[in-house]
Amino acid sequence: MNICVIGAGYVGLITALCFGKKGNTVICVEKNLDKLSMLNNGVPTIFEEGLDELLKESLNTDSVKFTDNLEMGIKSSDIIFIAVGTPTKDNWDVDIGQVEVVINLISPYINKYKVVVTKSTVPVGTQKYITSKLLENNVPKEYFDVVSNPEFLREGKAIYDFFHGDKIVLGSESQKALEVMRKLYEPFKIKMVLTNPETAELIKYTSNAMLSVKISFINEIANLCNKACADIDVIAYALGLDKRISPLFLKAGLGYGGSCFPKDTKALVKMSENYNCNLNIVKATVDVNEKQRVLPVDILLEHYKIIEGKTVGILGLTFKPDTDDIREAPSLYIIEKLLKNKVNIKAYDPMVTKEIKNIFPDITYCDGVYECLEDCDAMIICTEWNEFYSIDLCKVNEIMRESIIIDGRNILDIEKIKEANIKAYYSVGKGNIKN
Ligand code: UGA
């Protein structure tokens, strides 16, 4: 099929390349010329497993073209995916401004029947709004149908997920458009949910909210475990043996971050308020997460009483391992709160980006774990990068001024902590050790 993907961001780029790989002809339209030139030269614009190879293959086989020529993209395609950003405003409403701009830009080029698909995460009612906008822009009603097709890709595993996802959700009032989309996705052999637009739009938010609820729930239980001398990992394991619960998304830690869960849970709360409906569980989930991500600072304050002038080593800055994304990462909130308390900060992340140096120019960025921990009064593990699992704790004890460890992701072995004579170890629901 002939496809046009508008936006070569995280979702758009993966969508374009994966449809190209499945034998479709794809034009990916992007207005950022730097991004375009990188992609046309086979240079990935984001860090994603398998992207480098897939991008080069797509350029070699000519299955995907990257261009800023919207007219050519729209006129030569049967299906148009909108994959532009939909950030959350300060009042938690979703800003669909970029989607609106795209609708206005594509309207003049819709010269025969096309399916317009929203891949961007958009609030309930957006599909109806898009339809009315296209009609307002004088696009004849027989020239288009709109379909909502939310994405469920995880950062870092997006290409794998595109080919092996659990579900494809398609929402539309038009059977004709749903049939076009069903054919497009048929070769992927993934279960499809065909429904109305509003249901499809809400599935995306509900899916991310459900996973966030699981995380905040297990984090609250972890905090109880620390007081009740119970072990959260054993509890999570036992819960996970029950197929009705599933073992996934029950890892206690410093809460969820990233570009999706924080944004989508807030948007869902706001959306429900606009419908005069109260989503108390999602509200509590957001609230628990906001407290959980700064838990290490509360622990330090309780341990030291006064933390001004102390030096803290932060291990891991990204919101999860195997990504270079720091959006809504717990580390950002921890650093901000530590700086307010006049703490000196050293930080190490295997993929630390320029971006974080711009946000916090006055902290010391290190090139390795031990350089980071040298002369620190405490360390906080914020992200569970692989290399942190095997930290030499005896060495840590030697090089730190005081070996106070806050293991925000429960990755260190308690027996090894004891053997290394660490001064104090704080976990998230696996107990604390103080010498
Ligand atoms: C998430 C969803 O998993 C995708 O299905 C969805 O498509 C995507 O958002 C989106 O809406 O675009 P992603 O943000 O890449 O994907 O991250 P996840 O791997 O789901 O992790 C989210 C956060 O939850 C991370 O900060 C992670 O550390 C945290 N987490 C996850 C936990 O604290 N505990 C867990 O057990 C699992």
Side-chain angles (χ1 to χ4, degrees):
M1 290 189 186
N2 294 315
I3 296 174
C4 175
V5 177
I6 302 171
Y10 160 70
V11 174
L13 180 58
I14 303 295
T15 302
L17 293 173
C18 293
F19 278 131
K21 172 91 180 166
K22 275 285 187 207
N24 299 286
T25 304
V26 184
I27 296 176
C28 185
V29 181
E30 169 60 53
K31 62 180 181 183
N32 181 325
L33 298 181
D34 292 338
K35 228 185 226 185
L36 268 185
S37 128
M38 282 174 76
L39 293 170
N40 278 321
N41 285 309
V43 181
T45 44
I46 50 171
F47 178 79
E48 191 62 46
E49 205 173 278
L51 178 58
D52 198 16
E53 299 80 355
L54 187 56
L55 176 61
K56 289 197 172 80
E57 186 188 320
S58 306
L59 292 171
N60 287 339
T61 56
D62 225 12
S63 59
V64 183
K65 269 196 184 59
F66 297 99
T67 175
D68 61 345
N69 188 337
L70 189 68
E71 178 173 357
M72 189 250 297
I74 301 299
K75 284 189 172 163
S76 56
S77 302
D78 309 309
I79 307 175
I80 301 158
F81 281 90
I82 302 174
V84 292
T86 48
T88 317
K89 296 182 192 168
D90 287 344
N91 69 355
W92 296 12
D93 267 330
V94 182
D95 178 358
I96 59 160
Q98 293 182 53
V99 176
E100 288 175 305
V101 169
V102 167
I103 295 302
N104 289 335
L105 289 173
I106 65 173
S107 295
Y109 307 132
I110 302 183
N111 55 354
K112 62 177 175 62
Y113 180 74
K114 294 174 193 295
V115 180
V116 178
V117 186
T118 45
K119 257 282 168 215
S120 306
T121 301
V122 290
V124 175
T126 304
Q127 187 174 134
K128 279 218 168 86
Y129 175 74
I130 291 176
T131 304
S132 68
K133 269 275 171 210
L134 287 168
L135 292 173
E136 217 176 86
N137 291 346
N138 297 319
V139 182
K141 83 172 182 319
E142 63 279 13
Y143 274 17
F144 75 92
D145 278 313
V146 189
V147 174
S148 167
N149 172 213
E151 59 89 13
F152 303 98
L153 312 173
R154 293 164 298 166
E155 256 185 65
K157 300 273 178 264
I159 295 172
Y160 176 87
D161 285 352
F162 204 98
F163 293 110
H164 306 96
D166 294 325
K167 58 182 180 280
I168 286 158
V169 173
L170 300 167
S172 183
E173 298 291 5
S174 154
Q175 286 308 316
K176 181 178 170 189
L178 286 174
E179 190 47 29
V180 172
M181 295 302 287
R182 209 187 50 73
K183 282 216 175 93
L184 174 69
Y185 276 113
E186 206 163 39
F188 291 85
K189 304 208 176 338
I190 298 174
K191 268 196 189 128
M192 291 189 212
V193 179
L194 273 56
T195 182
N196 67 27
E198 291 76 13
T199 309
E201 287 164 340
L202 200 51
I203 287 173
K204 167 69 190 188
Y205 285 100
T206 314
S207 189
N208 275 356
M210 182 73 230
L211 296 169
S212 305
V213 167
K214 277 187 98 173
I215 297 170
S216 276
F217 176 76
I218 205 72
N219 283 338
E220 273 205 315
I221 300 293
N223 296 339
L224 171 65
C225 281
N226 263 357
K227 302 218 157 110
C229 296
D231 184 328
I232 193 62
D233 281 352
V234 180
I235 291 183
Y237 173 70
L239 289 179
L241 291 177
D242 188 329
K243 289 186 193 66
R244 293 169 302 176
I245 298 176
S246 130
L248 304 175
F249 282 76
L250 288 180
K251 186 85 191 91
L254 299 182
Y256 56 81
S259 65
C260 304
F261 287 0
K263 159 173 111 67
D264 293 348
T265 42
K266 287 179 182 169
L268 184 56
V269 167
K270 190 64 206 277
M271 219 186 299
S272 67
E273 283 169 1
N274 296 343
Y275 283 99
N276 251 333
C277 218
N278 224 340
L279 292 190
N280 289 320
I281 294 174
V282 188
K283 260 191 217 160
T285 295
V286 173
D287 187 44
V288 168
N289 197 58
E290 290 185 353
K291 291 194 178 85
Q292 194 70 12
R293 62 195 181 190
V294 289
L295 182 73
V297 188
D298 299 337
I299 293 174
L300 275 184
L301 280 166
E302 179 140 356
H303 181 95
Y304 276 120
K305 308 300 179 236
I306 295 166
I307 55 174
E308 186 175 338
K310 299 279 182 204
T311 303
V312 173
I314 307 276
L315 296 185
L317 296 166
T318 51
F319 84 95
K320 66 175 185 180
D322 304 320
T323 173
D324 60 355
D325 196 342
I326 55 160
R327 283 176 289 177
E328 291 293 319
S331 66
L332 303 182
Y333 294 92
I334 292 170
I335 293 173
E336 195 178 273
K337 200 163 172 186
L338 287 174
L339 287 176
K340 272 198 190 123
N341 280 279
K342 301 196 168 57
V343 169
N344 306 311
I345 297 171
K346 294 174 79 180
Y348 168 65
D349 185 281
M351 285 204 69
V352 71
T353 48
K354 273 203 311 266
E355 222 179 324
I356 194 157
K357 292 187 181 173
N358 292 338
I359 305 174
F360 301 115
D362 297 329
I363 69 177
T364 309
Y365 294 93
C366 303
D367 289 328
V369 171
Y370 303 107
E371 183 193 329
C372 177
L373 298 182
E374 199 156 5
D375 293 329
C376 282
D377 298 292
M379 75 180 238
I380 301 171
I381 300 177
C382 289
T383 317
E384 66 277 34
W385 282 98
N386 223 358
E387 64 179 278
F388 300 160
Y389 284 82
S390 52
I391 291 176
D392 179 343
L393 293 166
C394 292
K395 188 166 173 182
V396 165
N397 202 19
E398 271 166 36
I399 61 173
M400 287 182 75
R401 199 156 32 221
E402 279 208 281
S403 54
I404 312 297
I405 297 181
I406 299 166
D407 183 358
R409 298 291 173 181
N410 291 344
I411 61 172
L412 300 180
D413 182 333
I414 301 233
E415 286 314 309
K416 289 190 179 145
I417 295 277
K418 288 181 188 157
E419 277 163 31
N421 219 8
I422 294 295
K423 189 157 183 209
Y425 172 78
Y426 295 94
S427 69
V428 185
K430 292 183 66 67
N432 303 327
I433 300 171
K434 277 189 205 168
N435 282 318

